[in-house]
Amino acid sequence: MIIILKENANKNDYDSLIGMLTDRGVKVSGINGVNHNILGLVGDTSKLDIDLINAQPVVERVQRVQEPYKACNRQFHPEDTVIDVSGRIIGGNHVQIIAGPCSVESEEQIISTAEAVKKAGATMLRGGAFKPRTSPYSFQGLHEEGIRLLLAARKATGLPIVTEIMSAEHLDLFADIDVIQVGARNMQNFELLKQLGRSDKPILLKRGLANTMEELLMSAEYIMAGGNSNVILCERGIRTFETYTRNTLDISAVPLLKQRTHLPVVVDPSHATGIASLVEPMSLAAIAAGADALEIEVHCNPSKALSDGAQQLKPEKFEEVMKKIKPMIEFCGKELG
Amino acid sequence: MIIILKENANKNDYDSLIGMLTDRGVKVSGINGVNHNILGLVGDTSKLDIDLINAQPVVERVQRVQEPYKACNRQFHPEDTVIDVSGRIIGGNHVQIIAGPCSVESEEQIISTAEAVKKAGATMLRGGAFKPRTSPYSFQGLHEEGIRLLLAARKATGLPIVTEIMSAEHLDLFADIDVIQVGARNMQNFELLKQLGRSDKPILLKRGLANTMEELLMSAEYIMAGGNSNVILCERGIRTFETYTRNTLDISAVPLLKQRTHLPVVVDPSHATGIASLVEPMSLAAIAAGADALEIEVHCNPSKALSDGAQQLKPEKFEEVMKKIKPMIEFCGKELG
Amino acid sequence: MIIILKENANKNDYDSLIGMLTDRGVKVSGINGVNHNILGLVGDTSKLDIDLINAQPVVERVQRVQEPYKACNRQFHPEDTVIDVSGRIIGGNHVQIIAGPCSVESEEQIISTAEAVKKAGATMLRGGAFKPRTSPYSFQGLHEEGIRLLLAARKATGLPIVTEIMSAEHLDLFADIDVIQVGARNMQNFELLKQLGRSDKPILLKRGLANTMEELLMSAEYIMAGGNSNVILCERGIRTFETYTRNTLDISAVPLLKQRTHLPVVVDPSHATGIASLVEPMSLAAIAAGADALEIEVHCNPSKALSDGAQQLKPEKFEEVMKKIKPMIEFCGKELG
Amino acid sequence: MIIILKENANKNDYDSLIGMLTDRGVKVSGINGVNHNILGLVGDTSKLDIDLINAQPVVERVQRVQEPYKACNRQFHPEDTVIDVSGRIIGGNHVQIIAGPCSVESEEQIISTAEAVKKAGATMLRGGAFKPRTSPYSFQGLHEEGIRLLLAARKATGLPIVTEIMSAEHLDLFADIDVIQVGARNMQNFELLKQLGRSDKPILLKRGLANTMEELLMSAEYIMAGGNSNVILCERGIRTFETYTRNTLDISAVPLLKQRTHLPVVVDPSHATGIASLVEPMSLAAIAAGADALEIEVHCNPSKALSDGAQQLKPEKFEEVMKKIKPMIEFCGKELG
């Protein structure tokens, strides 16, 4: 950590800063500049509160040298984290295709969709039982019943289930679910993250609409600090000024996150773009950039979907997309499933 | 609601769309364009799911004519909502100054700060007991003990208390709190909003870092749809590419929200800018633009603050700021307190 | 075009609006809603000024049905535009790799880099003679001399040249250049675009840092409206709140632009990310998403580069990247060069 | 300037970095950290190219300590710059109201509007002769004829003229204009800025839609580095994800820029919001925050305006707004005109 001091630092304030820092066990070295003096801190600065230092009267600015995340930092854990989800491997040499409807709507709908995506090559099933909707007047999901139907679909197809949690109070309902998803709007719902840290289930953590990659990693850190290291990151588009797409899919997040962290990275091209016809090219681009899995929305009858119809693929279209995705996975030297 | 049809709409799909719409009780009128046909829907379109219509095969695009929010819409409730917070009036001709530390840290700290801000003219006390922090390694608040200390500070000064909730599971702890705050990161924590809708306490709802005003109003709608109409909106800065300030304070949100909704609007210049020296000019600008209250961070000893030291004012600086704020409130024809 | 009228429209103002519209040769049909009446306009609405209609006292809102661009619109020109650049084909089944240094710095530097990138498989040469720099104290390019050196490098290698223009006053200097580039900061320098519309040279038009795809297409329209239809679009990253990358590369712009326009689309992974190690994965992703060319910065000695050293590849690293790019181009059923 | 070195820095590369730095006349001090070594540079670092240092193989990251702008930096020029525009003072204790139509459309229109705004209290006249329009099919301004009409309006009213330049080639036409405006889209048209640096006319420089305050100051620096220190900065709204307003007016830019620079700061509430009814509250907020002038669009007949009708005020509405603005200026201890 580097501290840049104000030009006309008061001696007492300066001494009080140095005292505070040495009290916290770091060693302080100084460089005298012309207009600014600079302090370099040596030691374990991870316990220092950057806000506290910034608030000292002699401090102009503080710069971190070390990244603020540790458990998920590749520097301290160079090998890829590989997560076994009921037999499906996320990370390493594998690519999983997680497909299914935006919302679970009925037993017939989820089972027929599960069968269709499995047939086309999907390796895991997604479907929402608890739906975060902007409007209180929109369909909010089938809740407990939705979870029950997802488990029925798993029984019918063998596909492991990914589904979203919206409140820690519902955690018991997710006991048999394979992967618990935290949606973009809850990426910084820290109370939820803390409770998921006490679980041992794989957590698929989506990047918030206006969150930096560093914030995503800090939210992963919340879960890992609680003891759960089965965290899967997901890029699902960020909010920009562009209006043709719902969000802007930040594919550069895939290789960049993989440099910074050992956790696997998933891409959701359906939510990122909001446009069914972009799912194929964005899926191919994501795999080419190194994504460990894709989450794709597929609905047997998008025109009757209770949510997000415009971005869901019909099973026959999904089959076509899979015919492009499979050779791309192989071309990239990886393995589907 | 207006539906723009695709150029080469299939007759069956067209009939199925019309059937779906009339089934839902709306009347459909058409205009034949050259390349596109247009449908206008007459009746109560608030129950129509825009996603569902967008997903119909013949639909090119759907445009709302009516706004998607009702309970908070000024069109259906022209008079200002005025909320009585334990004797302090938010809305109408009043301006409240809500001041206090970012976090409650100790009995001595919160009581001395409460006394200092009261002396300077603050009319309500803020302070965080549950703190949403980006890092799991930062101070997370005193929790129950923090609530207890806030109530002690109210007893000592008579100032009503505003404090943040982070999970519906903690709701019981807030039974004696005057205003429950929902932070920016929880603006779309819909499960929390639903539970607050069942409370009758005033809710101060902060705009998310990357949320539109319409989304803020939809989140207010969640609370109001549950039966709680005591909602206070808060603009606290949005995330942009600018780096000199922590966020960009969108002061135009004040008059614009007041055109669209009858709910009161508060501004938080401390979090919005992250810079103590900007609190005064931004406070004056917010009042000039019509804000119903300000939320200002004040700490007896910012250089020892456990969070957000750099943006908190010392009591003596806050006193100076209040000497500018008070005449501005009067100049704008309003009343402090 | 659809016009939504205000609730309590004044009869005279209404008649004046209808008069204005019919004077401009469009037919007006109406739908009577409950709170709002809606007008649909039939005929050539491209000459109607949307601002003018919005300013009419009875108008609540105006919505376009047709897109505002025509010359570049795929609807009116379904086949891909394919541009022959001195024997290199941009568009269709071809992928061009345009490589070279950020700035031309010396004869030795540009010729040795040109030879190196050609050897590695690049098909065109890029290099800046006029450099848009944020600071007036940074290197501004070699100007005329830089153009001369680029032509020398073309002579030495046969690679066609792409280089940036910053002012229409310099147009004469570009007489022998193969492709004139318009940088992101000049995307809406409309006077420059108009003058380039009178040229017959291929123009590589970069998307501005905060411009929508529609605005990019409208800037292409400026050039095409002047008579020059040799326009190549370039996605080079947009500005967001993310800080780990310089900009956010919007790869979804590639397939989306190709749906809307018949013009070719190029991707610049070097400027988009600002990080040399991301050039390879982003190049592969861009080709997988359908890009017609890549623009990649390569410098013989990045640590001595006069601009943008951190994002430029060394020739040996570029060679490695090309070894990945070439099979990806083939895998996508396309041809390098 | 601080340089953070990579963990495993090669000795030769390290020596070559130190050599490069000392060759450029700066003194280098070091701090040895655990994982990273840190260099502090003492001396005139303004001539060091940060890109070049970043590109050195041993460098992890570079941080500026000094700001990159000098001529406009308040640190080196503590007193406010006050600019005399043909007798009107911009800066210091004065507030100017610059009003007039978006575009000059006819002699009758500009003269009657000039007379109306003067009567209401405006102290300067604005009007566009060269109009940057997104679409090539929109009205582009009257050009030379527009300049002639503006001068006629000045003759009729005595109001100094502010009007926008779009290309350095038109500079001769602006010989009699009082203030030359550079629009948001040309804020980084560096060739134009350089030529304006050779002029001695006051330049009103608008912040670009996606430009930081630092970039705005660097563009001012371009003009000042050329010898013209008569630069007036203008905040006119930045682009965000919000859709209710055209842009987001960043009022915090006013006090923040005034901390960093000695140049005057103007606010344009008309372009920032795009909504006529927001001009009054945003004008009051801007003055309360310390703006030195406002630029307000007024049109005798907005419903016939050839551009931006929806955001222009009628003269009678402008008169009402001025009745609020004048006492606010006095309340803030300043003087109109």
Side-chain angles (χ1 to χ4, degrees):
Chain A
M1 199 175 280
I2 292 167
I3 301 176
I4 299 160
L5 300 180
K6 286 191 182 143
E7 253 184 272
N8 36 14
N10 167 299
K11 178 78 173 74
N12 278 357
D13 289 341
Y14 176 83
D15 291 345
S16 126
L17 171 67
I18 301 298
M20 189 189 92
L21 294 169
T22 47
D23 281 2
R24 278 160 177 81
V26 298
K27 228 186 90 199
V28 184
S29 306
I31 294 172
N32 297 319
V34 175
N35 291 310
H36 293 276
N37 293 322
I38 295 161
L39 303 179
L41 308 191
V42 180
D44 182 2
T45 58
S46 65
K47 287 163 205 147
L48 291 179
D49 190 327
I50 203 163
D51 282 340
L52 182 57
I53 299 175
N54 253 319
Q56 302 309 309
V58 293
V59 173
E60 169 82 28
R61 216 160 54 237
V62 185
Q63 302 287 160
R64 284 192 178 284
V65 177
Q66 297 276 351
E67 283 152 341
Y69 40 88
K70 289 184 289 184
C72 67
N73 197 330
R74 191 180 278 277
Q75 203 181 344
F76 309 122
H77 184 305
E79 331 71 57
D80 281 355
T81 282
V82 169
I83 297 174
D84 184 327
V85 177
S86 318
R88 294 295 177 186
I89 306 300
I90 299 191
N93 215 35
H94 297 259
V95 177
Q96 302 299 333
I97 305 296
I98 309 164
C102 182
S103 302
V104 181
E105 295 165 12
S106 71
E107 180 149 6
E108 196 278 327
Q109 174 246 17
I110 188 65
I111 290 185
S112 65
T113 303
E115 284 167 345
V117 300
K118 184 184 181 184
K119 186 164 153 274
T123 57
M124 297 174 70
L125 179 67
R126 58 148 291 147
F130 293 88
K131 297 300 306 169
R133 305 299 300 275
T134 304
S135 168
Y137 310 122
S138 298
F139 175 61
Q140 307 275 323
L142 295 182
H143 298 180
E144 296 83 332
E145 172 67 2
I147 299 284
R148 200 187 59 74
L149 298 180
L150 282 166
L151 296 175
R154 183 177 64 188
K155 200 168 170 197
T157 60
L159 296 178
I161 302 295
V162 180
T163 193
E164 179 166 347
I165 195 166
M166 285 178 64
S167 169
E169 293 177 281
H170 304 147
L171 205 42
D172 288 349
L173 296 171
F174 288 72
D176 296 323
I177 290 300
D178 302 283
V179 178
I180 302 180
Q181 178 170 305
V182 176
R185 286 168 188 75
N186 279 317
M187 190 200 94
Q188 293 192 318
N189 181 339
F190 301 116
E191 291 299 314
L192 177 59
L193 299 179
K194 282 181 198 172
Q195 302 229 25
L196 295 173
R198 285 176 218 125
S199 159
D200 60 354
K201 290 213 174 284
I203 309 298
L204 192 153
L205 177 66
K206 292 197 155 185
R207 181 181 181 185
L209 278 84
N211 287 109
T212 61
M213 292 186 237
E214 185 164 300
E215 287 169 340
L216 174 61
L217 292 172
M218 293 309 293
S219 286
E221 195 81 11
Y222 258 95
I223 300 170
M224 296 177 85
N228 184 353
S229 57
N230 295 314
V231 180
I232 303 157
L233 305 174
C234 180
E235 162 62 31
R236 44 78 72 213
I238 56 172
R239 188 162 267 191
T240 67
F241 52 81
E242 178 57 53
T243 56
Y244 278 177
T245 46
R246 179 188 281 192
N247 297 290
T248 297
L249 181 58
D250 179 7
I251 290 188
S252 67
V254 177
L256 198 87
L257 286 171
K258 285 175 160 288
Q259 290 177 0
R260 305 280 179 123
T261 183
H262 50 86
L263 299 174
V265 182
V266 175
V267 168
D268 176 346
S270 301
H271 281 92
T273 62
I275 300 172
S277 64
L278 294 185
V279 169
E280 178 183 306
M282 290 300 96
S283 292
L284 298 175
I287 294 169
D292 295 303
L294 300 177
E295 210 175 355
I296 297 179
E297 290 197 348
V298 180
H299 195 288
C300 286
N301 194 347
S303 69
K304 295 247 162 86
L306 295 179
S307 58
D308 281 348
Q311 76 199 27
Q312 305 199 50
L313 301 180
K314 288 192 189 175
E316 49 273 29
K317 176 63 189 156
F318 176 66
E319 226 179 298
E320 272 177 49
V321 173
M322 284 302 293
K323 279 182 193 146
K324 298 285 186 73
I325 284 178
K326 283 180 205 169
M328 177 63 88
I329 292 172
E330 279 168 45
F331 174 76
C332 293
K334 293 193 174 172
E335 181 182 336
L336 171 63
Chain B
M1 199 175 278
I2 292 168
I3 301 175
I4 299 161
L5 300 180
K6 287 192 180 142
E7 253 184 271
N8 37 13
N10 167 299
K11 179 77 173 75
N12 277 358
D13 289 340
Y14 176 83
D15 291 346
S16 127
L17 171 67
I18 302 298
M20 188 189 92
L21 294 169
T22 47
D23 281 2
R24 278 160 177 81
V26 298
K27 229 185 89 199
V28 184
S29 305
I31 295 172
N32 297 320
V34 175
N35 291 311
H36 294 276
N37 294 323
I38 295 161
L39 302 180
L41 308 190
V42 180
D44 182 4
T45 58
S46 64
K47 286 164 208 147
L48 292 179
D49 190 328
I50 205 164
D51 281 340
L52 181 57
I53 299 176
N54 253 321
Q56 302 309 309
V58 292
V59 173
E60 169 82 29
R61 214 159 57 237
V62 185
Q63 301 286 158
R64 284 193 177 284
V65 177
Q66 298 275 351
E67 285 152 339
Y69 42 88
K70 289 184 287 185
C72 67
N73 196 329
R74 191 179 277 280
Q75 203 182 344
F76 308 123
H77 184 305
E79 331 73 56
D80 281 354
T81 283
V82 169
I83 298 174
D84 184 327
V85 177
S86 317
R88 295 294 178 186
I89 306 301
I90 298 190
N93 215 36
H94 297 259
V95 177
Q96 303 299 334
I97 305 298
I98 309 165
C102 182
S103 301
V104 181
E105 295 164 13
S106 70
E107 181 149 9
E108 196 278 327
Q109 174 246 17
I110 188 65
I111 291 185
S112 65
T113 303
E115 283 168 345
V117 299
K118 185 185 181 185
K119 186 163 154 275
T123 57
M124 296 176 71
L125 179 67
R126 58 148 290 145
F130 292 88
K131 297 301 306 169
R133 304 301 300 277
T134 305
S135 168
Y137 310 121
S138 298
F139 175 61
Q140 307 274 322
L142 296 181
H143 298 181
E144 296 84 331
E145 172 68 0
I147 299 282
R148 201 187 60 73
L149 297 180
L150 282 166
L151 296 176
R154 182 176 66 187
K155 200 167 170 198
T157 59
L159 296 178
I161 303 295
V162 180
T163 194
E164 180 165 346
I165 195 166
M166 284 178 64
S167 169
E169 293 176 280
H170 304 146
L171 204 43
D172 288 349
L173 296 171
F174 288 71
D176 296 322
I177 291 300
D178 302 282
V179 177
I180 301 179
Q181 178 170 303
V182 177
R185 285 168 189 75
N186 278 317
M187 191 200 93
Q188 292 192 319
N189 181 339
F190 301 117
E191 292 300 313
L192 176 59
L193 299 179
K194 281 181 198 172
Q195 301 230 26
L196 295 174
R198 284 176 218 123
S199 159
D200 60 355
K201 289 215 173 284
I203 309 298
L204 192 152
L205 177 67
K206 291 196 157 187
R207 180 181 182 184
L209 278 86
N211 287 109
T212 62
M213 292 186 238
E214 186 163 300
E215 288 169 340
L216 174 61
L217 292 171
M218 293 311 292
S219 286
E221 196 80 11
Y222 258 96
I223 300 170
M224 297 176 84
N228 184 353
S229 57
N230 296 314
V231 181
I232 303 157
L233 305 173
C234 181
E235 161 62 31
R236 45 78 72 215
I238 56 173
R239 189 161 267 191
T240 68
F241 52 81
E242 177 57 53
T243 56
Y244 279 178
T245 46
R246 179 187 283 192
N247 296 291
T248 297
L249 180 59
D250 180 6
I251 290 188
S252 67
V254 178
L256 198 88
L257 286 171
K258 284 174 160 288
Q259 290 176 3
R260 303 281 178 123
T261 182
H262 48 87
L263 298 174
V265 182
V266 175
V267 168
D268 176 345
S270 301
H271 280 92
T273 62
I275 300 173
S277 64
L278 294 185
V279 170
E280 178 182 306
M282 290 301 96
S283 292
L284 299 175
I287 293 169
D292 294 305
L294 300 178
E295 210 175 356
I296 297 178
E297 290 197 347
V298 180
H299 194 287
C300 286
N301 193 346
S303 68
K304 296 246 162 87
L306 295 178
S307 58
D308 280 350
Q311 77 199 27
Q312 305 199 51
L313 301 180
K314 288 191 188 175
E316 48 275 26
K317 177 63 189 160
F318 177 63
E319 226 178 298
E320 272 176 49
V321 172
M322 284 302 293
K323 279 183 191 144
K324 298 284 186 72
I325 285 178
K326 284 180 204 169
M328 178 61 90
I329 292 173
E330 279 168 44
F331 175 76
C332 294
K334 293 192 174 174
E335 183 182 334
L336 171 64
Chain C
M1 198 174 280
I2 291 167
I3 301 175
I4 299 160
L5 301 180
K6 287 192 181 141
E7 252 183 272
N8 38 14
N10 167 299
K11 178 77 171 78
N12 277 359
D13 289 340
Y14 177 83
D15 290 347
S16 127
L17 171 67
I18 302 297
M20 189 189 90
L21 293 169
T22 47
D23 281 3
R24 279 161 175 81
V26 298
K27 230 187 89 198
V28 183
S29 305
I31 293 171
N32 296 321
V34 175
N35 291 311
H36 293 275
N37 293 322
I38 295 161
L39 303 180
L41 308 191
V42 180
D44 182 3
T45 58
S46 64
K47 285 164 206 148
L48 291 178
D49 189 328
I50 204 164
D51 281 340
L52 182 57
I53 299 175
N54 253 320
Q56 302 308 309
V58 292
V59 173
E60 170 81 28
R61 215 157 60 235
V62 185
Q63 302 286 159
R64 283 192 178 285
V65 177
Q66 298 275 350
E67 284 153 340
Y69 42 87
K70 289 183 288 185
C72 66
N73 197 328
R74 190 179 279 277
Q75 202 182 345
F76 308 123
H77 183 305
E79 330 74 54
D80 281 355
T81 282
V82 168
I83 298 175
D84 184 328
V85 177
S86 315
R88 294 294 177 187
I89 305 300
I90 299 190
N93 216 35
H94 299 259
V95 177
Q96 302 299 333
I97 306 297
I98 309 165
C102 182
S103 301
V104 181
E105 296 165 13
S106 70
E107 182 150 4
E108 196 278 328
Q109 173 246 18
I110 189 66
I111 290 184
S112 64
T113 304
E115 283 168 345
V117 299
K118 185 184 180 183
K119 188 166 152 273
T123 57
M124 296 175 70
L125 179 67
R126 59 147 292 146
F130 293 88
K131 297 301 306 169
R133 304 300 300 276
T134 305
S135 168
Y137 310 121
S138 298
F139 176 59
Q140 307 275 323
L142 295 181
H143 297 181
E144 296 85 332
E145 172 67 1
I147 299 283
R148 201 186 60 73
L149 297 180
L150 283 166
L151 296 176
R154 182 177 66 188
K155 202 168 167 195
T157 60
L159 297 177
I161 303 294
V162 180
T163 194
E164 180 167 347
I165 195 166
M166 286 178 62
S167 168
E169 292 177 282
H170 304 146
L171 204 42
D172 287 350
L173 296 171
F174 288 73
D176 296 324
I177 291 300
D178 302 282
V179 177
I180 301 179
Q181 178 171 305
V182 176
R185 287 169 188 75
N186 279 317
M187 190 201 94
Q188 293 193 317
N189 180 340
F190 300 116
E191 292 299 313
L192 176 60
L193 300 179
K194 281 181 200 175
Q195 301 229 26
L196 295 174
R198 285 177 216 122
S199 158
D200 60 355
K201 289 211 174 285
I203 309 297
L204 192 152
L205 178 65
K206 292 197 154 183
R207 182 182 181 185
L209 278 85
N211 287 108
T212 62
M213 292 186 239
E214 185 163 301
E215 288 168 341
L216 174 61
L217 292 172
M218 293 310 292
S219 286
E221 196 81 12
Y222 258 95
I223 300 170
M224 297 177 85
N228 183 354
S229 57
N230 296 313
V231 180
I232 303 156
L233 304 174
C234 180
E235 162 62 30
R236 43 79 72 214
I238 57 172
R239 188 162 269 189
T240 68
F241 52 82
E242 177 56 54
T243 56
Y244 279 177
T245 45
R246 179 188 283 191
N247 297 289
T248 297
L249 181 59
D250 179 6
I251 290 188
S252 67
V254 177
L256 197 87
L257 286 170
K258 284 176 160 287
Q259 289 176 1
R260 304 281 179 121
T261 183
H262 49 87
L263 299 174
V265 182
V266 175
V267 168
D268 176 346
S270 301
H271 281 91
T273 62
I275 299 173
S277 64
L278 294 184
V279 169
E280 179 182 305
M282 290 301 97
S283 292
L284 298 175
I287 293 169
D292 295 303
L294 299 178
E295 210 176 355
I296 297 178
E297 290 197 349
V298 180
H299 194 288
C300 286
N301 193 346
S303 69
K304 295 247 162 88
L306 295 177
S307 58
D308 281 348
Q311 76 197 30
Q312 306 199 50
L313 301 180
K314 288 192 190 176
E316 47 274 28
K317 175 66 188 156
F318 176 65
E319 228 179 297
E320 274 176 49
V321 173
M322 284 303 292
K323 279 182 192 145
K324 298 285 187 72
I325 285 178
K326 283 181 204 168
M328 178 62 88
I329 292 172
E330 278 168 46
F331 174 77
C332 294
K334 292 192 176 175
E335 181 182 335
L336 171 63
Chain D
M1 199 174 277
I2 291 168
I3 300 176
I4 299 160
L5 300 180
K6 286 191 182 143
E7 253 184 271
N8 37 13
N10 167 298
K11 178 77 173 76
N12 278 358
D13 289 340
Y14 176 82
D15 291 345
S16 128
L17 170 68
I18 302 297
M20 188 189 92
L21 294 169
T22 47
D23 281 1
R24 279 160 176 81
V26 297
K27 230 186 89 200
V28 183
S29 305
I31 294 172
N32 297 321
V34 175
N35 291 311
H36 292 277
N37 294 323
I38 295 160
L39 302 180
L41 308 190
V42 180
D44 182 4
T45 58
S46 64
K47 286 165 206 147
L48 292 179
D49 190 328
I50 204 164
D51 282 340
L52 181 56
I53 298 175
N54 254 320
Q56 301 309 309
V58 291
V59 173
E60 169 82 27
R61 212 154 64 235
V62 185
Q63 300 287 160
R64 283 193 177 284
V65 178
Q66 299 276 351
E67 284 152 339
Y69 41 89
K70 289 184 288 185
C72 67
N73 196 328
R74 190 180 278 277
Q75 203 182 344
F76 308 123
H77 183 305
E79 330 75 56
D80 281 355
T81 283
V82 169
I83 297 175
D84 184 328
V85 177
S86 316
R88 294 295 179 187
I89 305 302
I90 298 191
N93 215 36
H94 297 260
V95 177
Q96 303 298 334
I97 306 297
I98 309 165
C102 182
S103 301
V104 181
E105 296 165 10
S106 70
E107 180 150 6
E108 196 278 328
Q109 175 247 16
I110 189 66
I111 290 186
S112 65
T113 303
E115 284 168 344
V117 300
K118 184 185 181 184
K119 187 164 153 275
T123 57
M124 296 175 70
L125 179 66
R126 60 147 290 145
F130 292 87
K131 297 301 307 168
R133 303 302 300 277
T134 305
S135 168
Y137 310 122
S138 298
F139 175 61
Q140 307 273 321
L142 295 181
H143 297 182
E144 296 84 331
E145 172 67 1
I147 299 283
R148 202 187 59 73
L149 297 180
L150 282 166
L151 296 176
R154 181 176 67 187
K155 200 168 169 196
T157 59
L159 296 177
I161 302 295
V162 180
T163 194
E164 179 166 346
I165 195 166
M166 285 177 63
S167 169
E169 292 177 282
H170 303 146
L171 203 43
D172 287 349
L173 295 170
F174 288 72
D176 296 323
I177 291 300
D178 302 284
V179 177
I180 301 180
Q181 178 170 304
V182 177
R185 286 169 189 75
N186 278 316
M187 191 200 93
Q188 292 192 318
N189 180 341
F190 300 116
E191 292 298 312
L192 176 59
L193 299 179
K194 282 181 197 173
Q195 301 230 25
L196 294 174
R198 287 179 214 120
S199 159
D200 60 355
K201 289 213 174 286
I203 308 299
L204 193 153
L205 177 66
K206 292 196 156 186
R207 181 182 181 184
L209 277 85
N211 287 109
T212 62
M213 292 187 238
E214 185 162 301
E215 288 169 339
L216 174 61
L217 292 172
M218 293 309 292
S219 287
E221 196 81 12
Y222 258 97
I223 300 170
M224 296 177 85
N228 184 353
S229 57
N230 296 311
V231 179
I232 302 157
L233 304 174
C234 181
E235 161 62 32
R236 46 76 73 211
I238 56 173
R239 187 162 269 189
T240 68
F241 52 80
E242 176 58 53
T243 57
Y244 279 177
T245 46
R246 180 187 284 191
N247 298 290
T248 296
L249 181 59
D250 180 7
I251 290 188
S252 67
V254 178
L256 197 88
L257 286 171
K258 284 174 160 289
Q259 290 177 1
R260 304 280 178 123
T261 182
H262 49 86
L263 299 174
V265 182
V266 175
V267 168
D268 176 345
S270 302
H271 281 91
T273 62
I275 299 173
S277 64
L278 294 185
V279 170
E280 180 183 305
M282 290 300 96
S283 292
L284 297 176
I287 293 169
D292 294 304
L294 300 177
E295 212 176 355
I296 297 178
E297 290 197 348
V298 180
H299 194 288
C300 285
N301 194 345
S303 68
K304 295 248 161 85
L306 295 178
S307 59
D308 280 348
Q311 77 199 29
Q312 305 199 50
L313 302 180
K314 288 192 189 177
E316 47 275 27
K317 177 64 188 157
F318 176 63
E319 226 178 299
E320 272 176 49
V321 172
M322 284 302 293
K323 279 184 191 142
K324 298 284 186 72
I325 285 179
K326 283 180 205 169
M328 179 61 89
I329 292 173
E330 279 169 43
F331 174 77
C332 293
K334 292 193 176 174
E335 182 181 335
L336 171 64

